[in-house]
Amino acid sequence: MRQKLRLYRHYVSIVVRGMMQYKTSFLFTAIGQFLVSFNVFLGIYFLFQRFHQVKGYSYSEVLLCYAIVLMEFSLAEMWARGFDTFSGLVRSGEFDRVLVRPQGEILQVLGSRFELTRLGRMLQAVLMLVYALCTAEIRWTAGKVWTILFMLAGGTAVFSGLFLIYAALCFFTLEGLEFMNVLTDGAREYGKYPLDIYGKRVLQLATVIVPYALIQYYPLQYILGRATNPAYIFLPLLALLFLLPCYGLWRFGVRHYKSSGS
């Protein structure tokens, strides 16, 4: 495990050094990522200028929700970007080289891309989180602090799992499947509000099919004091199990991979 971690750090250092050769490009890309998410923030701001609450949620509570989801997505996109661009490896035949190397395929794909420019989104999420923490009327306890940390870990795992599913499907299509954006970018956009505002059916689907609710809605209820069950603290960790079927689909795709040539 230590050897794999050292190798991954080496991969990341190579990618980052390459990005730093074009510092101006990196800076403007990071600023662009900040501005894209800032537009969503403005949408929330102007909405609450007209309506003081959305289904009982205040402005600060919605910002807290969106900041955590945006941070989860940014972390996943930062370190799992290799899966999001995996279709190019399959289409060009570069994945053949990955298979003949002594290291695992997942480690190599993860190390092939590291989107440090997503720090722009991360900065936006951190600023919103700080503001929400300072203005929301929340009685903080150690359990609630752990809940946020578990939400970040579980949410990063869920979004990374979705990127892994996207990559696994590329074994059978050679092209990226745009409908997966509904589950990744779409979840980031709709996740800016607690899931119960979309109705009971959506909340059920987000609990059973893709466990968004485990990393957003239920732990958020505990943080806001709307639920007192301490089991809600650990629900985001339960979302880590989502990685198992994602990995199973990946292994199935690798076993059925046929080179597309170059």
Side-chain angles (χ1 to χ4, degrees), residues 9-33:
R9 288 198 297 267
H10 181 63
Y11 281 145
V12 171
S13 67
I14 292 175
V15 174
V16 172
R17 287 200 302 270
M19 295 177 65
M20 290 298 102
Q21 296 301 312
Y22 306 93
K23 295 182 177 62
T24 303
S25 176
F26 167 79
L27 177 62
F28 278 101
T29 303
I31 293 174
Q33 291 294 324

Side-chain angles (χ1 to χ4, degrees), residues 26-42 66 70 74 77 116-128 188:
F26 167 79
L27 177 62
F28 278 101
T29 303
I31 293 174
Q33 291 294 324
F34 178 90
L35 293 177
V36 167
S37 57
F38 186 72
N39 288 335
V40 181
F41 163 75
L42 288 179
Y66 181 52
L70 183 61
S74 301
E77 196 176 31
L116 193 61
T117 56
R118 269 42 183 184
L119 287 175
R121 283 183 185 168
M122 284 291 297
L123 176 60
Q124 173 73 30
V126 169
L127 291 177
M128 288 192 299
R188 181 196 67 207

